[in-house]
Amino acid sequence: MAHLLPLLTALLLCSYGPVGSLGCELPENSVQLSRMTLGLLVQMRTISPGLCLRDRRDFRFPRDVLNASHFHKTQDMSVPHEMLQQIYNLFHTQQASAAWNKTLLAELHTALQQQLQDLNACLVQGRAQQDSVLTTESPTLALRRYFQGIHVYLKEKRHSDCAWEIVRMELLRALASTIKLQESLRSKDGDSRTS
């Protein structure tokens, strides 16, 4: 049995290797849709951030999850997917509906749903292989902890207007960072097609 462990480990790693070559490419319109989402978040501003300075919080955005060179391609795509899913979940609550302009909120939901559908096709292909070797410090786990902190903050602040404004500002920065990752992934896709 002791001799089987290295063999099983090798087989597991070999089965994981092709995930990046499953033909999964970031959809061409993903960066454009993310920029549209970013624009919607900008438009959603309801109060001046200057009025909310006492409510500021460092949510400790896990910037290391955005380093595309550290992960296989499917994991890379799981980062923008997880980010968009968590933003969707955050703004798809009763508290969010009460806090934001209904029209802009509906447009945000639609944009996020489109992006999530586009990314799902690729993720489904590699999900089983990816899940089998995720570590406790996976990029998606780090993002989930980050968003859990945002949920806790909103609850502590009783979903006040200032709390939502601070979260909106935080998500603008986080989404802008995710767009940079998507641009990097798009350029990787272009490089892999030309080689």
Side-chain angles (χ1 to χ4, degrees), residues 22 24-25 27 77 81 115-127:
L22 286 172
C24 298
E25 293 180 1
M77 288 193 203
H81 183 273
Q115 289 173 278
L116 289 167
Q117 287 172 355
D118 290 348
L119 290 172
N120 272 340
C122 181
L123 288 175
V124 168
Q125 291 177 8
R127 180 79 25 121

Side-chain angles (χ1 to χ4, degrees), residues 26-72:
L26 198 60
E28 287 185 31
N29 65 346
S30 64
V31 174
Q32 180 184 1
L33 284 170
S34 289
R35 286 188 179 135
M36 186 175 87
T37 302
L38 191 69
L40 288 168
L41 281 174
V42 168
Q43 292 176 44
M44 289 173 71
R45 179 180 150 184
T46 57
I47 60 175
S48 171
L51 297 174
C52 302
L53 293 178
R54 62 184 161 83
D55 292 308
R56 286 184 302 177
R57 169 95 39 105
D58 180 3
F59 294 102
R60 301 185 186 272
F61 180 70
R63 296 201 182 283
D64 55 321
V65 304
L66 299 177
N67 187 346
S69 65
H70 282 49
F71 306 106
H72 290 282

Side-chain angles (χ1 to χ4, degrees), residues 10 21 28-29 46 51-52 56 69 79-81 89 101 108 116 124 132 134 136 142-143 145 160 177 180 184-185 194:
S21 61
E28 287 185 31
N29 65 346
T46 57
L51 297 174
C52 302
R56 286 184 302 177
S69 65
V79 170
H81 183 273
N89 293 346
N101 174 294
L108 181 68
L116 289 167
V124 168
S132 65
L134 284 177
T136 57
L143 282 171
R145 282 195 303 258
S160 71
S177 297
K180 288 179 186 174
S184 171
L185 291 171
T194 58

